[in-house]
């Protein structure tokens, strides 16, 4: 349990806190999770900057990579 809490928060900590203010994200969006997973399957790399977030400027992907990479790993193993 402690390992999961560490992994799920470690990668998102820099993006969640901007200075002393808490930065909020769009929440749990199934379409965007699918977009990140599809990007990983296509390019074998984490989607770090997405031009479709905060259009037209773009923004960093605020989601931690653990869920998406675990989903890709399970999908590749099953397929």
């Amino acid at each position: 349990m402690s390992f999961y809490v560490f992994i799920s928060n470690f990668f998102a900590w820099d993006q969640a806190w901007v200075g002393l203010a808490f930065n909020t994200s769009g929440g749990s969006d199934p379409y965007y999770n699918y977009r990140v997973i599809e990007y990983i399957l296509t390019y074998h790399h984490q989607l770090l900057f997405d031009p479709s977030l905060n259009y037209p400027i773009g923004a960093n992907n605020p989601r931690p990579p653990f869920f998406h990479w675990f989903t890709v790993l399970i999908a590749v193993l099953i397929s």
Side-chain angles (χ1 to χ4, degrees):
M1 176 73 170
S2 299
F3 180 69
Y4 172 75
V5 171
F6 172 74
I7 289 295
S8 64
N9 290 300
F10 179 75
F11 297 102
W13 192 260
D14 291 339
Q15 294 180 7
W17 291 94
V18 178
L20 296 175
F22 184 70
N23 189 15
T24 58
S25 70
S28 177
D29 182 10
Y31 171 77
Y32 194 75
N33 286 332
Y34 172 73
R35 177 176 163 77
V36 173
I37 291 170
E38 187 177 43
Y39 184 89
I40 293 170
L41 286 170
T42 304
Y43 299 107
H44 308 291
H45 191 269
Q46 177 68 21
L47 178 61
L48 299 175
F49 182 82
D50 191 357
S52 67
L53 289 176
N54 194 22
Y55 182 81
I57 300 167
N60 290 331
N61 177 11
R63 281 112 177 129
F66 183 71
F67 169 75
H68 302 110
W69 280 95
F70 185 71
T71 304
V72 167
L73 174 69
I74 296 300
V76 168
L77 291 175
I78 291 174
S79 67

